[in-house]
Amino acid sequence: MFNAATHYQIDYADLSLVLALVRGGTLARAAALLRVDVSTVFRAVRRLEAALGQTLFEKSRAGYLPTSLASNLAQQAERAEQALEAARIGVEQGGEVISGTVRLTCTDSVLQGLLLPALAQFMPAYPALTLELSTSNDFANLSRRDADIALRLTTAPPEHLVGRCLGAVAYQVCASADYARLHPDHEWADLAWIAPDDFLPDHPTVAWRREYLPGVRLRYRCNSMQSVAELVRAGLGVAALPDFLVGNGVQPLGPALAGHDTALWLLTRPDCRALRSVVTLFDELGRHVRWLRS
């Protein structure tokens, strides 16, 4: 229980009030979340601020903006909310429940091609586990402690992280069925090429293209491999894609690009191995993403 400098004892109703106004941003939306009227929320906030002797919200044209104190209380409220939900589920299921929030980062292509199908397999079994997802192409998230787990395509994961290799990933030149049918005998260099832009200068497909098609003109440049795949699927040209994005309207035009494969790594920080929620998600991803590639 939070003990303010004024010795006022914050209770769960106070935390729920602050959380509702932080989430809603206005008195009307907070009232709807709490299922009370607007005047009740207004009076309750004024009473709480008076009891604490501190301002919780600044009124602006955009609504009610939380102060740092309100933001901190809202975070505590979310944890309390999760704990109550975990307790409720534990009573219903008659056993121990995995709960908490785990932050996971991956690229958008791994998210669409591998992670979402895996989550659909096991996340329903963990109703009290909250997953925060972010897409990024680097390891900075884990290094800055912005994330707990990462799924990364690499041949050399950072030494300060721990994890396991889930399997090799190969790349193939691909096109949509319609595009392949319209260009059956064309040389690869004469096709409309779609590729990552300078945001991914060291991508394996970029290295392959520089080696084997150094003079090819790029018709489309994208800042993510998922966008490259979507343009291919739309029939706009060809691209070298990871094998887990092949299918659903995208077909290979040839064998895998020899010498330019990579690997999918499941990584975490050493300190996260003490967190049961992180370990549980890590192990489930290891089983189900591996299963997808088996």
Side-chain angles (χ1 to χ4, degrees):
M1 183 176 293
F2 184 87
N3 192 356
T6 60
H7 303 295
Y8 174 77
Q9 297 290 314
I10 292 280
D11 59 22
Y12 186 71
D14 295 327
L15 291 179
S16 297
L17 170 68
V18 173
L19 181 58
L21 194 47
V22 168
R23 285 174 171 172
T26 67
L27 291 175
R29 286 197 287 267
L33 291 171
L34 295 170
R35 298 182 180 178
V36 298
D37 57 52
V38 171
S39 61
T40 298
V41 175
F42 177 76
R43 290 193 301 268
V45 172
R46 293 291 297 271
R47 282 197 300 267
L48 182 57
E49 288 182 328
L52 295 175
Q54 299 186 60
T55 300
L56 292 172
F57 295 91
E58 300 288 348
K59 185 71 169 67
S60 73
R61 292 183 178 180
Y64 279 69
L65 303 178
T67 63
S68 58
L69 175 59
S71 296
N72 178 265
L73 290 176
Q75 292 176 3
Q76 300 296 331
E78 286 186 328
R79 295 190 184 100
E81 187 179 67
Q82 292 172 357
L84 283 174
E85 178 66 9
R88 182 189 65 78
I89 294 171
V91 170
E92 291 178 353
Q93 296 183 350
E96 192 174 3
V97 174
I98 302 297
S99 63
T101 298
V102 181
R103 299 163 300 171
L104 189 152
T105 180
C106 63
T107 64
D108 55 355
S109 60
V110 169
L111 173 68
Q112 295 292 330
L114 293 174
L115 180 59
L116 293 184
L119 294 179
Q121 294 290 322
F122 67 83
M123 279 300 286
Y126 300 97
L129 186 63
T130 300
L131 184 60
E132 293 182 357
L133 293 170
S134 67
T135 54
S136 170
N137 289 295
D138 58 44
F139 291 100
N141 301 69
L142 282 176
S143 301
R144 293 194 307 264
R145 299 177 180 268
D146 293 337
D148 305 308
I149 296 175
L151 278 167
R152 285 288 181 258
L153 294 172
T154 182
T155 55
E159 294 183 359
H160 65 279
L161 301 178
V162 294
R164 67 182 74 159
C165 179
L166 300 184
V169 174
Y171 293 88
Q172 296 171 278
V173 175
C174 300
S176 69
D178 289 342
Y179 191 90
R181 186 169 56 252
L182 292 173
H183 304 83
D185 300 316
H186 285 66
E187 296 291 331
W188 279 1
D190 297 329
L191 300 175
W193 275 86
I194 308 162
D197 63 13
D198 295 336
F199 189 71
L200 298 170
D202 301 320
H203 198 272
T205 63
V206 175
W208 173 84
R209 193 184 71 250
R210 287 172 178 166
E211 182 178 354
Y212 291 98
L213 297 172
V216 72
R217 173 177 172 267
L218 298 180
R219 184 73 60 83
Y220 305 95
R221 290 159 57 86
C222 306
N223 68 351
S224 75
M225 287 305 296
Q226 183 62 32
S227 298
V228 171
E230 292 302 324
L231 266 65
V232 171
R233 186 170 289 109
L236 295 176
V238 301
L241 296 174
D243 52 13
F244 59 80
L245 291 181
V246 177
N248 296 321
V250 174
Q251 64 183 44
L253 300 181
L257 309 181
H260 292 275
D261 55 351
T262 186
L264 181 67
W265 280 83
L266 178 62
L267 301 164
T268 188
R269 303 191 313 272
D271 59 291
C272 285
R273 292 184 295 180
L275 301 175
R276 190 167 181 215
S277 56
V278 174
V279 171
T280 298
L281 182 62
F282 189 94
D283 290 343
E284 290 286 13
L285 288 170
R287 283 191 290 269
H288 287 83
V289 173
R290 186 185 301 274
W291 172 78
L292 289 170
R293 295 190 45 73
S294 63

